[in-house]
């Protein structure tokens, strides 16, 4: 049995340099099925670069990157990796403002590719039931027929998470989801991500410590492209090196 067995995401010894600057330096991280991992760390620690490596946007110079036990992601391009079931949420929400909330989810379904054919495509009852369930998960059932443009910033972030769920990913990567959200939206986001992580693997990068506490999950602190500390938030935030290089700043 290799040490990849039973992992949804397996990074081992990953390094990447940009013009001689090591953005990732021998980074190793594991995420198991239906597990959530929170990643914290100072600006420039390599958190976003790590997501770029997983999604195939950036190639590692060294190291192993495996998905779902045995798929070598370093051999695949971004489109192939997305199709395998890795969804990524960027910081800025990118929803279709001039379409309804529900149509945004329809547009995100894996089926037809262009906007017109996606909207004309007769949804099956099964699709509709599944999308209604997703609306529930992302707290937008009551906004189903409203224009996406009319949502709050936080609700747009949730809609985008819903659009990723419509593609039924096994692994969801979420970069700073609560930036710019109200406190109430931030609390709700922790709840909905915990619900999502009951059935999928989720990696969340976030600076907001009370949000990370609400996630109640395993935490990895990155700095200078490597793992500085791992454990519960209490363990990690009590670590003297983490305090010196991140929290104490
Ligand atoms: P974080 O998300 O933890 O704040 P990043 O992964 O964005 O950190 O950045 C890590 C370092 O790598 C930064 O110094 C950044 O400037 C650099 N970097 C990231 N991506 C690129 C790139 N495509 N080209 C050059 N430098 C990059
Ligand atoms: Mg970043």
């Amino acid at each position: 049995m290799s040490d990849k067995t039973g992992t949804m995401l397996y990074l081992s010894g990953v390094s990447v340099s940009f013009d001689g600057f090591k953005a990732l330096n021998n980074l190793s991280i594991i995420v198991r099925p239906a597990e959530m991992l929170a990643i914290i760390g100072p600006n420039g620690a390599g958190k976003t670069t790590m997501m770029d490596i997983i999604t195939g946007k950036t190639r590692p110079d060294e190291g192993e990157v495996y998905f779902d036990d045995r798929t070598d992601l370093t051999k695949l391009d971004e489109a192939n990796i997305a199709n395998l079931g890795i969804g990524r949420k960027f910081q800025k929400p990118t929803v279709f403002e001039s379409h309804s909330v529900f149509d945004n989810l329809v547009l995100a379904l894996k089926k037809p590719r262009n906007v017109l054919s996606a909207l004309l495509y007769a949804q099956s009852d099964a699709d509709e039931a599944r999308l209604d369930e997703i609306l529930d998960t992302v707290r937008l059932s009551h906004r189903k027929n409203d224009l996406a443009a009319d949502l709050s910033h936080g609700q747009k972030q949730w809609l985008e998470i819903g659009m990723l769920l419509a593609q039924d990913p096994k692994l969801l990567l979420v970069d700073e989801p609560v930036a710019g959200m109200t406190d109430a939206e931030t609390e709700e986001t922790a709840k909905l991500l915990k619900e999502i992580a009951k059935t999928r693997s989720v990696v969340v990068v976030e600076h907001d410590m009370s949000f990370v506490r609400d996630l109640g999950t395993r935490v990895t602190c990155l700095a200078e492209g490597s793992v500085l500390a791992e454990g519960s938030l209490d363990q990690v935030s009590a670590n003297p090196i983490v305090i010196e290089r991140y929290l104490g700043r």
Side-chain angles (χ1 to χ4, degrees):
M1 239 172 45
S2 90
D3 45 4
K4 299 181 196 63
T5 306
T7 63
M8 187 55 70
L9 182 66
Y10 175 93
L11 269 65
S12 178
V14 172
S15 296
V16 66
S17 297
F18 301 111
D19 303 322
F21 173 79
K22 257 196 163 169
L24 295 181
N25 186 5
N26 196 23
L27 176 66
S28 300
I29 274 179
I30 282 176
V31 184
R32 298 187 185 283
E35 184 192 33
M36 178 153 53
L37 175 66
I39 304 211
I40 61 173
N43 282 329
K47 303 180 298 295
T48 299
T49 303
M50 180 200 75
M51 293 198 171
D52 290 342
I53 295 274
I54 297 164
T55 56
K57 190 174 172 205
T58 298
R59 295 282 169 206
D61 299 330
E62 281 175 76
E64 295 180 280
V65 186
Y66 280 85
F67 173 63
D68 204 1
D69 270 359
R70 68 195 64 194
T71 306
D72 182 351
L73 296 180
T74 66
K75 302 267 194 296
L76 301 173
D77 68 21
E78 281 187 87
N80 291 143
I81 291 172
N83 283 329
L84 280 177
I86 299 183
R88 178 178 189 176
K89 159 112 193 55
F90 289 89
Q91 265 172 263
K92 205 173 158 294
T94 49
V95 300
F96 300 99
E97 302 257 338
S98 58
H99 289 281
S100 73
V101 167
F102 187 77
D103 282 348
N104 267 270
L105 296 184
V106 173
L107 289 167
L109 283 172
K110 271 184 179 174
K111 289 161 185 161
R113 278 292 161 208
N114 71 68
V115 171
L116 190 65
S117 63
L119 289 177
L120 292 174
Y121 167 79
Q123 296 140 44
S124 66
D125 290 349
D127 276 344
E128 173 136 18
R130 197 167 72 81
L131 296 184
D132 281 341
E133 209 170 290
I134 289 171
L135 282 177
D136 250 7
T137 303
V138 297
R139 278 61 173 164
L140 290 174
S141 296
H142 63 299
R143 306 300 304 267
K144 180 174 179 176
N145 299 311
D146 296 341
L147 278 187
D150 294 336
L151 298 177
S152 71
H153 168 76
Q155 289 172 326
K156 284 180 189 170
Q157 300 281 27
W158 295 343
L159 177 54
E160 200 181 3
I161 291 171
M163 291 164 75
L164 293 171
L165 293 177
Q167 297 175 35
D168 202 17
K170 290 181 175 172
L171 170 66
L172 207 57
L173 308 173
V174 194
D175 204 350
E176 303 197 19
V178 302
M181 281 192 188
T182 65
D183 288 351
E185 286 172 340
T186 298
E187 281 173 28
E188 208 58 38
T189 303
K191 285 186 200 152
L192 72 88
L193 287 174
K194 279 158 76 168
E195 285 168 31
I196 291 168
K198 285 180 186 166
T199 54
R200 304 166 200 276
S201 303
V202 180
V203 177
V204 189
V205 166
E206 191 46 70
H207 285 286
D208 182 326
M209 284 301 139
S210 64
F211 170 75
V212 173
R213 179 165 299 285
D214 282 352
L215 291 176
T217 193
R218 189 160 66 89
V219 175
T220 292
C221 180
L222 297 192
E224 292 170 26
S226 316
V227 173
L228 203 57
E230 285 180 291
S232 69
L233 182 62
D234 285 337
Q235 288 167 341
V236 169
S237 54
N239 183 312
I241 305 166
V242 173
I243 294 170
E244 185 192 320
R245 300 206 5 219
Y246 178 45
L247 297 174
R249 288 185 174 196

